[in-house]
Amino acid sequence: ADGDALHDEL
Amino acid sequence: MNVFRFLGDLSHLVAIVILLLKIWKTRSCSGISGRSQILFAIVFTTRYLDLFSNFISVYNTSMKIVYITCSYATVYLIYGKFKATYDFNHDTFRIEFLLVPSAILAFLVNHDFSPLEILWTFSIYLESVAILPQLFLVSKTGEAETITSHYLFALGSYRLLYLLNWLWRYFSQGFYDLIALLSGILQTVLYCDFFYLYISKVLKGKKLSLPA
């Protein structure tokens, strides 16, 4: 998924 | 990963474990809002649906599994095993007033109109108000057990630390997410009066009691 759609935080 | 985010996750984990242990050890969920715990279980479920489809790190996946497991276990203990000690008379906050607006807002304001993203956005909005039934319960009973106030302090601190994490990420990476940021500010603001009571009373060894 592109950057902003990928949520890397919990 | 910066120190604020790590401490935030740690604080969140401590809060979840404190609550689970309190209910398990005392075999009682008195003073705990089951409705807030239901909302937290919904928050984790709707936020971590990408648990298996989207691997970020071992840390990320394992923490998600712990959060989801503990939140469902807590709901089970409250409404299942120890329901005799559940304070249903005072735990009466109408959670539909939190669920419906969060769902509507998630459809209107989001980063991407895809199912996963709308559910993520819904979980962010819901989490910002999910503690209200618990704070409402404490205000109705006029007091909270010391262990419950430690739980609330850890839970409130987690999102405060995330605000510092976002400040850090903005200045170091230019990263920001207005949806998470504004929801996090609201979430933390809701704890302000509790933080004041906690620091002025509980840390001095007194019981947390709201002015009648």
Side-chain angles (χ1 to χ4, degrees):
Chain A
D2 56 336
D4 69 330
L6 187 71
H7 299 293
D8 65 346
E9 294 179 340
L10 286 172
Chain B
M1 166 74 83
N2 60 63
V3 64
F4 297 114
R5 189 168 137 212
F6 177 70
L7 291 177
D9 289 341
L10 197 61
S11 184
H12 197 185
L13 183 66
V14 163
I16 290 172
V17 169
I18 283 182
L19 182 65
L20 203 51
L21 285 181
K22 171 248 188 283
I23 298 175
W24 183 255
K25 293 276 184 198
T26 64
R27 304 184 68 74
S28 159
C29 58
S30 64
I32 301 299
S33 163
R35 292 174 179 225
S36 271
Q37 297 312 313
I38 289 173
L39 294 179
F40 286 128
I42 295 171
V43 165
F44 291 136
T45 307
T46 53
R47 188 175 304 179
Y48 301 152
L49 287 173
D50 63 349
L51 180 61
F52 300 110
S53 64
N54 176 3
F55 180 79
I56 291 171
S57 68
V58 172
Y59 170 81
N60 187 276
T61 300
S62 48
M63 287 292 270
K64 285 177 177 177
I65 292 171
V66 168
Y67 285 177
I68 288 176
T69 313
C70 290
S71 67
Y72 277 96
T74 302
V75 170
Y76 163 69
L77 290 183
I78 292 172
Y79 288 101
K81 201 166 176 61
F82 303 124
K83 67 172 176 285
T85 64
Y86 171 52
D87 189 356
F88 61 91
N89 282 317
H90 292 120
D91 189 18
T92 55
F93 193 99
R94 304 286 300 277
I95 57 175
E96 52 272 34
F97 292 161
L98 303 176
L99 286 161
V100 173
S102 298
I104 294 170
L105 195 59
F107 270 96
L108 300 176
V109 181
N110 53 60
H111 292 310
D112 179 36
F113 203 76
S114 67
L116 263 184
E117 190 62 22
I118 286 180
L119 283 169
W120 176 86
T121 310
F122 167 70
S123 85
I124 291 288
Y125 293 148
L126 185 62
E127 187 191 7
S128 64
V129 291
I131 199 63
L132 280 174
Q134 178 65 58
L135 297 178
F136 179 75
L137 175 63
V138 170
S139 67
K140 277 194 86 171
T141 54
E143 63 173 10
E145 289 175 38
T146 301
I147 188 72
T148 307
S149 51
H150 293 324
Y151 158 70
L152 285 170
F153 181 73
L155 197 59
S157 306
Y158 130 71
R159 215 58 179 172
L160 176 61
L161 286 161
Y162 255 71
L163 293 179
L164 299 178
N165 151 59
W166 288 322
L167 211 59
W168 177 280
R169 290 188 74 178
Y170 179 69
F171 287 114
S172 63
Q173 305 159 359
F175 166 89
Y176 67 93
D177 175 347
L178 274 184
I179 287 177
L181 178 65
L182 295 177
S183 304
I185 291 171
L186 169 64
Q187 184 169 336
T188 305
V189 161
L190 293 178
Y191 282 84
C192 280
D193 64 330
F194 167 76
F195 279 143
Y196 170 72
L197 286 170
Y198 183 82
I199 290 166
S200 61
K201 289 197 175 174
V202 178
L203 292 191
K204 291 180 181 144
K206 294 181 196 153
K207 193 171 174 61
L208 185 122
S209 59
L210 299 179

